[in-house]
PDB file of all heavy atoms in Angstrom:
ATOM      1  N   LEU T  33      19.012  78.757 124.802  1.00  0.00           N
ATOM      2  CA  LEU T  33      19.679  79.297 125.933  1.00  0.00           C
ATOM      3  C   LEU T  33      18.763  79.721 127.045  1.00  0.00           C
ATOM      4  O   LEU T  33      18.921  79.497 128.246  1.00  0.00           O
ATOM      5  CB  LEU T  33      20.542  80.574 125.578  1.00  0.00           C
ATOM      6  CG  LEU T  33      21.343  81.277 126.662  1.00  0.00           C
ATOM      7  CD1 LEU T  33      22.259  80.371 127.367  1.00  0.00           C
ATOM      8  CD2 LEU T  33      21.972  82.467 125.993  1.00  0.00           C
ATOM      9  N   GLN T  34      17.554  80.339 126.654  1.00  0.00           N
ATOM     10  CA  GLN T  34      16.547  80.734 127.585  1.00  0.00           C
ATOM     11  C   GLN T  34      16.097  79.533 128.341  1.00  0.00           C
ATOM     12  O   GLN T  34      15.893  79.595 129.547  1.00  0.00           O
ATOM     13  CB  GLN T  34      15.459  81.454 126.921  1.00  0.00           C
ATOM     14  CG  GLN T  34      15.802  82.859 126.547  1.00  0.00           C
ATOM     15  CD  GLN T  34      14.585  83.557 125.772  1.00  0.00           C
ATOM     16  OE1 GLN T  34      13.642  82.964 125.372  1.00  0.00           O
ATOM     17  NE2 GLN T  34      14.666  84.912 125.852  1.00  0.00           N
ATOM     18  N   ALA T  35      15.730  78.428 127.650  1.00  0.00           N
ATOM     19  CA  ALA T  35      15.310  77.214 128.261  1.00  0.00           C
ATOM     20  C   ALA T  35      16.273  76.603 129.203  1.00  0.00           C
ATOM     21  O   ALA T  35      15.911  76.179 130.323  1.00  0.00           O
ATOM     22  CB  ALA T  35      14.886  76.166 127.241  1.00  0.00           C
ATOM     23  N   SER T  36      17.626  76.614 128.873  1.00  0.00           N
ATOM     24  CA  SER T  36      18.539  76.143 129.755  1.00  0.00           C
ATOM     25  C   SER T  36      18.727  77.037 130.983  1.00  0.00           C
ATOM     26  O   SER T  36      18.888  76.453 132.117  1.00  0.00           O
ATOM     27  CB  SER T  36      19.951  76.123 129.039  1.00  0.00           C
ATOM     28  OG  SER T  36      19.885  75.166 128.009  1.00  0.00           O
ATOM     29  N   CYS T  37      18.607  78.370 130.825  1.00  0.00           N
ATOM     30  CA  CYS T  37      18.714  79.264 131.999  1.00  0.00           C
ATOM     31  C   CYS T  37      17.553  79.002 132.933  1.00  0.00           C
ATOM     32  O   CYS T  37      17.658  79.002 134.143  1.00  0.00           O
ATOM     33  CB  CYS T  37      18.779  80.767 131.495  1.00  0.00           C
ATOM     34  SG  CYS T  37      20.423  81.151 130.784  1.00  0.00           S
ATOM     35  N   GLU T  38      16.384  78.884 132.338  1.00  0.00           N
ATOM     36  CA  GLU T  38      15.107  78.648 133.139  1.00  0.00           C
ATOM     37  C   GLU T  38      15.360  77.366 134.016  1.00  0.00           C
ATOM     38  O   GLU T  38      15.017  77.336 135.158  1.00  0.00           O
ATOM     39  CB  GLU T  38      13.865  78.483 132.317  1.00  0.00           C
ATOM     40  CG  GLU T  38      13.442  79.746 131.721  1.00  0.00           C
ATOM     41  CD  GLU T  38      12.359  79.638 130.711  1.00  0.00           C
ATOM     42  OE1 GLU T  38      12.086  78.544 130.202  1.00  0.00           O
ATOM     43  OE2 GLU T  38      11.878  80.740 130.255  1.00  0.00           O
ATOM     44  N   ALA T  39      15.892  76.350 133.392  1.00  0.00           N
ATOM     45  CA  ALA T  39      16.097  75.029 134.119  1.00  0.00           C
ATOM     46  C   ALA T  39      17.104  75.175 135.192  1.00  0.00           C
ATOM     47  O   ALA T  39      16.862  74.693 136.256  1.00  0.00           O
ATOM     48  CB  ALA T  39      16.453  73.927 133.047  1.00  0.00           C
ATOM     49  N   LEU T  40      18.192  75.873 134.925  1.00  0.00           N
ATOM     50  CA  LEU T  40      19.212  76.094 135.901  1.00  0.00           C
ATOM     51  C   LEU T  40      18.676  76.865 137.113  1.00  0.00           C
ATOM     52  O   LEU T  40      18.963  76.592 138.288  1.00  0.00           O
ATOM     53  CB  LEU T  40      20.497  76.703 135.361  1.00  0.00           C
ATOM     54  CG  LEU T  40      21.300  75.789 134.514  1.00  0.00           C
ATOM     55  CD1 LEU T  40      22.377  76.553 133.767  1.00  0.00           C
ATOM     56  CD2 LEU T  40      21.988  74.775 135.352  1.00  0.00           C
ATOM     57  N   VAL T  41      17.981  77.977 136.837  1.00  0.00           N
ATOM     58  CA  VAL T  41      17.438  78.784 137.919  1.00  0.00           C
ATOM     59  C   VAL T  41      16.381  78.021 138.633  1.00  0.00           C
ATOM     60  O   VAL T  41      16.336  78.093 139.959  1.00  0.00           O
ATOM     61  CB  VAL T  41      16.838  80.136 137.233  1.00  0.00           C
ATOM     62  CG1 VAL T  41      16.065  80.892 138.424  1.00  0.00           C
ATOM     63  CG2 VAL T  41      18.008  81.046 136.751  1.00  0.00           C
ATOM     64  N   SER T  42      15.598  77.269 138.088  1.00  0.00           N
ATOM     65  CA  SER T  42      14.517  76.453 138.729  1.00  0.00           C
ATOM     66  C   SER T  42      15.314  75.457 139.654  1.00  0.00           C
ATOM     67  O   SER T  42      14.886  75.357 140.885  1.00  0.00           O
ATOM     68  CB  SER T  42      13.755  75.590 137.735  1.00  0.00           C
ATOM     69  OG  SER T  42      12.881  74.794 138.367  1.00  0.00           O
ATOM     70  N   ALA T  43      16.342  74.799 139.244  1.00  0.00           N
ATOM     71  CA  ALA T  43      17.081  73.954 140.144  1.00  0.00           C
ATOM     72  C   ALA T  43      17.791  74.573 141.272  1.00  0.00           C
ATOM     73  O   ALA T  43      17.804  74.165 142.332  1.00  0.00           O
ATOM     74  CB  ALA T  43      18.142  73.178 139.280  1.00  0.00           C
ATOM     75  N   VAL T  47      12.203  76.174 142.763  1.00  0.00           N
ATOM     76  CA  VAL T  47      10.904  76.654 142.335  1.00  0.00           C
ATOM     77  C   VAL T  47      10.552  75.836 141.057  1.00  0.00           C
ATOM     78  O   VAL T  47      11.484  75.639 140.243  1.00  0.00           O
ATOM     79  CB  VAL T  47      10.956  78.168 142.075  1.00  0.00           C
ATOM     80  CG1 VAL T  47       9.559  78.708 141.312  1.00  0.00           C
ATOM     81  CG2 VAL T  47      11.225  78.944 143.302  1.00  0.00           C
ATOM     82  N   SER T  49       9.446  74.594 137.492  1.00  0.00           N
ATOM     83  CA  SER T  49       9.796  75.235 136.170  1.00  0.00           C
ATOM     84  C   SER T  49       8.711  76.043 135.631  1.00  0.00           C
ATOM     85  O   SER T  49       8.917  76.987 134.964  1.00  0.00           O
ATOM     86  CB  SER T  49      10.224  74.148 135.236  1.00  0.00           C
ATOM     87  OG  SER T  49       9.165  73.210 135.074  1.00  0.00           O
ATOM     88  N   VAL T  52       9.075  79.759 136.577  1.00  0.00           N
ATOM     89  CA  VAL T  52      10.287  80.314 136.236  1.00  0.00           C
ATOM     90  C   VAL T  52      10.206  80.712 134.745  1.00  0.00           C
ATOM     91  O   VAL T  52       9.933  79.862 133.985  1.00  0.00           O
ATOM     92  CB  VAL T  52      11.421  79.346 136.449  1.00  0.00           C
ATOM     93  CG1 VAL T  52      12.769  80.012 136.011  1.00  0.00           C
ATOM     94  CG2 VAL T  52      11.536  79.028 137.886  1.00  0.00           C
ATOM     95  N   GLN T  53      10.485  81.911 134.370  1.00  0.00           N
ATOM     96  CA  GLN T  53      10.400  82.337 132.934  1.00  0.00           C
ATOM     97  C   GLN T  53      11.418  83.412 132.532  1.00  0.00           C
ATOM     98  O   GLN T  53      11.533  84.373 133.222  1.00  0.00           O
ATOM     99  CB  GLN T  53       9.015  82.969 132.703  1.00  0.00           C
ATOM    100  CG  GLN T  53       8.793  83.358 131.287  1.00  0.00           C
ATOM    101  CD  GLN T  53       7.417  83.906 131.068  1.00  0.00           C
ATOM    102  OE1 GLN T  53       6.653  84.137 131.975  1.00  0.00           O
ATOM    103  NE2 GLN T  53       6.936  83.999 129.788  1.00  0.00           N
ATOM    104  N   ALA T  54      12.097  83.141 131.504  1.00  0.00           N
ATOM    105  CA  ALA T  54      13.005  84.064 130.861  1.00  0.00           C
ATOM    106  C   ALA T  54      12.216  85.329 130.374  1.00  0.00           C
ATOM    107  O   ALA T  54      11.224  85.139 129.769  1.00  0.00           O
ATOM    108  CB  ALA T  54      13.795  83.484 129.759  1.00  0.00           C
ATOM    109  N   THR T  55      12.636  86.530 130.831  1.00  0.00           N
ATOM    110  CA  THR T  55      11.945  87.678 130.527  1.00  0.00           C
ATOM    111  C   THR T  55      12.691  88.594 129.565  1.00  0.00           C
ATOM    112  O   THR T  55      12.032  89.357 128.699  1.00  0.00           O
ATOM    113  CB  THR T  55      11.666  88.532 131.699  1.00  0.00           C
ATOM    114  OG1 THR T  55      12.913  88.868 132.410  1.00  0.00           O
ATOM    115  CG2 THR T  55      10.742  87.751 132.645  1.00  0.00           C
ATOM    116  N   VAL T  66      20.731  86.677 130.170  1.00  0.00           N
ATOM    117  CA  VAL T  66      19.268  86.321 130.187  1.00  0.00           C
ATOM    118  C   VAL T  66      18.757  86.699 131.529  1.00  0.00           C
ATOM    119  O   VAL T  66      19.318  86.165 132.521  1.00  0.00           O
ATOM    120  CB  VAL T  66      19.012  84.832 129.886  1.00  0.00           C
ATOM    121  CG1 VAL T  66      17.550  84.550 129.963  1.00  0.00           C
ATOM    122  CG2 VAL T  66      19.619  84.420 128.481  1.00  0.00           C
ATOM    123  N   VAL T  68      15.803  86.207 134.286  1.00  0.00           N
ATOM    124  CA  VAL T  68      14.779  85.190 134.528  1.00  0.00           C
ATOM    125  C   VAL T  68      13.966  85.622 135.707  1.00  0.00           C
ATOM    126  O   VAL T  68      14.459  85.883 136.746  1.00  0.00           O
ATOM    127  CB  VAL T  68      15.488  83.794 134.744  1.00  0.00           C
ATOM    128  CG1 VAL T  68      14.468  82.740 135.065  1.00  0.00           C
ATOM    129  CG2 VAL T  68      16.453  83.484 133.545  1.00  0.00           C
ATOM    130  N   CYS T  79      21.395  85.114 134.203  1.00  0.00           N
ATOM    131  CA  CYS T  79      22.097  83.918 133.626  1.00  0.00           C
ATOM    132  C   CYS T  79      23.066  84.499 132.555  1.00  0.00           C
ATOM    133  O   CYS T  79      22.566  85.222 131.608  1.00  0.00           O
ATOM    134  CB  CYS T  79      21.011  82.955 133.139  1.00  0.00           C
ATOM    135  SG  CYS T  79      21.684  81.463 132.342  1.00  0.00           S
ATOM    136  N   ILE T  87      26.746  78.400 129.357  1.00  0.00           N
ATOM    137  CA  ILE T  87      26.367  79.188 130.607  1.00  0.00           C
ATOM    138  C   ILE T  87      27.455  79.133 131.523  1.00  0.00           C
ATOM    139  O   ILE T  87      28.042  78.138 131.890  1.00  0.00           O
ATOM    140  CB  ILE T  87      25.077  78.611 131.155  1.00  0.00           C
ATOM    141  CG1 ILE T  87      23.909  78.733 130.308  1.00  0.00           C
ATOM    142  CG2 ILE T  87      24.764  79.333 132.540  1.00  0.00           C
ATOM    143  CD1 ILE T  87      22.624  78.022 130.609  1.00  0.00           C
TER     144      ILE T  87
END
Side-chain angles (χ1 to χ4, degrees):
L33 179 59
Q34 287 181 338
S36 294
C37 286
E38 289 170 348
L40 285 170
V41 170
S42 177
V47 174
S49 60
V52 176
Q53 182 177 13
T55 56
V66 178
V68 181
C79 180
I87 296 173

